[in-house]
Amino acid sequence: MAQLKQTFSSLFNCFRETPSLFWGMARWDSCLDTDEEHVNFARRDELNLAHSEEREEPDGPLNFELHVCHQDPEYKSPAPLPHAQVKLITSWEAGWNVTNAIQGIFVLGLPYALLHSGYSGLFLIILAAALCCYTGKILIACLYEENEDGQLIRVRDTYEDIANACCKNLSPKLGGIVVNVTQVMELIMTCILYLVASGNLLSHSFPYVPVTEKTWTVIAFVTLLPCVFIKTLKIVSKLSQLCSLVHFIVILVVMTYCLTQIHQWSWAKFRLSIEFEDFLVSVGVIIFSYTSQIFLPTLEGNMKNPGEFRCMLNWTHFFACVLKTTFALTAFLTWGEETKEVITDNLPSFLQTLVNLCLLAKALLSYPLPFFAATEIVYACISRGNHSNYRSPLFALGVRGSFLVLTLLMAMFIPHFALLMGLTGSVTGAAMTFLLPSLFHLKLKWKKLSFLEKCADISVFILGFLCSLAGIVCSIKGLLEVFEGV
């Protein structure tokens, strides 16, 4: 188990400094917050148009009505996506996807974050939930404009559309290109990290089998081949439900064991004084375990009742906050100063094997969400235009297959990938979660925002910039230490 611990410690070190990247699900952070990230992923603009024409009747009454139609005179719909079937999801299914992103494997690192942040860590867990929920809401608000009657009209469909609207005076497509590249980079690296984690978990769950870690990675990759046939977000939602179920099983096992040790609990284990560098690490772990903004435009656009989105975002983040606070607190009170970076390493050996297998299942079930998101973005960009060959189902299958193979090759052959991911994630994750949502909201809604709302957006932007800067410094420091030791 020493090698397993070392491997995951490396991955943990990468992601504790890196924002977003799927902190939510299996980012073993090295596995995905995240993990959302954590991208206008599944549906593109034309899907929203199809939804507005074929939208099903809501399951119940809404508090207000959101008209989904394209009113922007400069709006140009890209080529249709015949391979993506239009199947709207319920608020519950959207909630499972968000939960998948913000209830990631790295909740297992929260007790270690409390070790270095003390009482302030508990406050940060609550604050991070509120901040990420807020940036999710303002990002979706950028999709809408009011018409002459004061009704909200959905004039944009994706993160890309929002970026293009903000940068249209500078360059009509510059913002969209930057956002798409950033999203694809983050999502692909999230997929790679899930493969890396799966290989490590298999290798150390079956140490008696004479197979290398890379071979285990290939075996895990084979189980993911059916991902090339996933065509709808609804299927991804079902997998997210299974993933969340596995996650809750892991949390239940750990908390049950902690409750059996309640006689050892002591509030004296909490620190009153903290070290600045360790505190920054804790901030990264806590804040970026809530990131899901990268998926929100697509999720909201695919919902049967978009008016329920804000409510869905509220209860998913509230539930995540309660669960994370309870879990981190009980685990830290149980092991105190002996708390390890990955809390499952504190468990007895017989429980470690069970939990590792559950984490393996979680990592594999986490893979389809960022994979589907990345391939839909790339396919939509490539197929934009009148080239019928690019819009064929066979071409779509080729795009997904190519991405699947790409993630395997990068997982197996890129040296020091975890540290490189930490550096990349510190830029892309912070940008997608804090910097861009607040900046776009200020740009598009400035005249309608109150003074307090403007102050809130500016504060979020500054916080995102500081977190990104801290992550970059820590990642570069780690890379220098590695290369100096070679």
Side-chain angles (χ1 to χ4, degrees), residues 170-183:
L170 179 64
S171 176
K173 297 183 178 180
L174 176 62
I177 293 174
V178 172
V179 165
N180 279 342
V181 171
T182 301
Q183 290 181 127

Side-chain angles (χ1 to χ4, degrees), residues 44-47 50 77-84 379-380 383-388 390-392:
R44 304 296 297 173
D45 309 312
E46 62 284 354
L47 288 186
S77 177
L81 300 183
H83 73 291
Y379 180 85
S383 63
R384 192 170 295 165
N386 297 318
H387 303 290
S388 58
Y390 292 159
R391 300 199 300 269
S392 67

Side-chain angles (χ1 to χ4, degrees), residues 255-271:
M255 291 188 65
T256 300
Y257 178 81
C258 290
L259 291 175
T260 63
Q261 307 297 314
I262 195 172
H263 58 279
Q264 299 180 4
W265 291 10
S266 173
W267 287 96
K269 296 178 181 179
F270 272 95
R271 293 183 178 183

Side-chain angles (χ1 to χ4, degrees), residues 394-407:
L394 184 61
F395 180 76
L397 190 65
V399 170
R400 293 194 292 267
S402 299
F403 266 71
L404 199 65
V405 174
L406 176 65
T407 58

Side-chain angles (χ1 to χ4, degrees), residues 195-207:
L195 274 178
V196 171
S198 298
N200 278 291
L201 287 166
L202 280 169
S203 176
H204 296 90
S205 296
F206 305 100

